[in-house]
Amino acid sequence: MNLPTNEQWVSHIRSLIKQPLVGVPFDGSDHEKRSYINSFADEYGNRRSTDRPFLAYLLGVTLETPTDIDALDQQLWWMIQSGNFDTQEAASLIASTDALVPGSDSLAIEYRTMVELCALHALWIIAKRSKSQSLIERCLNAAAWHTRELQPDNAINRPWATQVFIALSQSADDEEVGHLAHLHAQTLIHNTSINMGVPDILSALVLQDVVADLGAM
């Protein structure tokens, strides 16, 4: 299978997110960045529990970690934004194989998909920053499980962990696994533009981090 190069992925994604990211203070002062984070909401006025730590990480500021952290994706993102890349701590929070969230079978499919993908994106960052090959392999294992068990269009339309599926498509020994991972990545990106013709602001910010990762690979 003739897969796109990272450069081709980056070029395609940048063309999609250029317009939505106008006005995001990537090069602003800490005050501008904190103000943006504090007032952030998507086009429908929604704010998610992972928005603040994700944006803090992306914009390079540190926030005070709250005490009421619950879900796995929240735990991992607050670890990252505080500069904590402890692989043992991260590994202690996740299941040993397949789905990352321990005992997640009872969760509603949309919520499960959101938490799993958001957590996978965060875990990949921890794995890469700490240069942990075992954690990188665990991320690829989780991505392969996603391609078998969860559809990328389960109503969340967020491109979390797209870079992990791209990495799996390029590294899988099994051609079918690689093909499914490639399709998963394509669908995650495509779904961000279904509602408005371009990615929504949160999806565009997620894809900005995907671009950064692909550019470094």
Side-chain angles (χ1 to χ4, degrees):
M1 181 172 59
N2 189 19
L3 296 172
T5 64
N6 281 358
E7 289 79 10
Q8 288 172 320
W9 281 114
V10 167
S11 177
H12 173 58
I13 294 171
R14 279 180 174 161
S15 71
L16 296 176
I17 64 177
K18 182 177 179 179
Q19 176 188 336
L21 292 184
V22 171
V24 179
F26 291 109
D27 298 319
S29 65
D30 275 6
H31 174 74
E32 290 174 313
K33 292 175 180 179
R34 291 176 189 277
S35 178
Y36 182 82
I37 292 168
N38 289 335
S39 62
F40 180 82
D42 66 19
E43 288 81 353
Y44 303 100
N46 297 322
R47 294 165 60 93
R48 289 139 297 270
S49 57
T50 52
D51 286 357
R52 284 173 56 78
F54 167 65
L55 290 172
Y57 148 78
L58 195 64
L59 296 179
V61 296
T62 301
L63 305 177
E64 183 177 352
T65 303
T67 58
D68 58 344
I69 302 172
D70 183 17
L72 176 62
D73 54 350
Q74 297 176 47
Q75 294 174 301
L76 294 175
W77 278 114
W78 281 109
M79 279 182 62
I80 290 170
Q81 79 85 43
S82 65
N84 178 8
F85 299 98
D86 186 330
T87 57
Q88 288 189 335
E89 182 177 348
S92 72
L93 298 173
I94 63 176
S96 60
T97 190
D98 294 338
L100 294 177
V101 180
S104 62
D105 290 347
S106 62
L107 299 176
I109 189 65
E110 292 85 1
Y111 179 74
R112 185 187 194 191
T113 303
M114 179 187 71
V115 174
E116 284 283 344
L117 286 176
C118 190
L120 180 57
H121 192 123
L123 190 66
W124 183 254
I125 292 170
I126 294 172
K128 296 290 287 293
R129 290 286 184 93
S130 63
K131 296 184 171 71
S132 170
Q133 190 59 39
S134 62
L135 213 54
I136 288 172
E137 291 299 326
R138 178 65 184 91
C139 288
L140 296 174
N141 167 264
W145 173 83
H146 269 276
T147 66
R148 298 192 305 269
E149 302 295 336
L150 294 180
Q151 296 300 315
D153 54 356
N154 279 322
I156 65 168
N157 293 344
R158 306 289 186 199
W160 293 113
T162 297
Q163 71 274 42
V164 187
F165 293 98
I166 291 173
L168 178 62
S169 73
Q170 296 170 343
S171 64
D173 293 329
D174 186 313
E175 185 174 345
E176 179 65 14
V177 171
H179 177 63
L180 289 175
H182 172 69
L183 293 178
H184 216 86
Q186 279 189 320
T187 305
L188 286 170
I189 295 170
H190 171 75
N191 286 354
T192 65
S193 301
I194 287 177
N195 292 330
M196 292 176 289
V198 295
D200 63 275
I201 183 58
L202 179 59
S203 292
L205 288 162
V206 172
L207 287 172
Q208 172 69 15
D209 193 51
V210 171
V211 163
D213 184 86
L214 293 175
M217 284 173 63

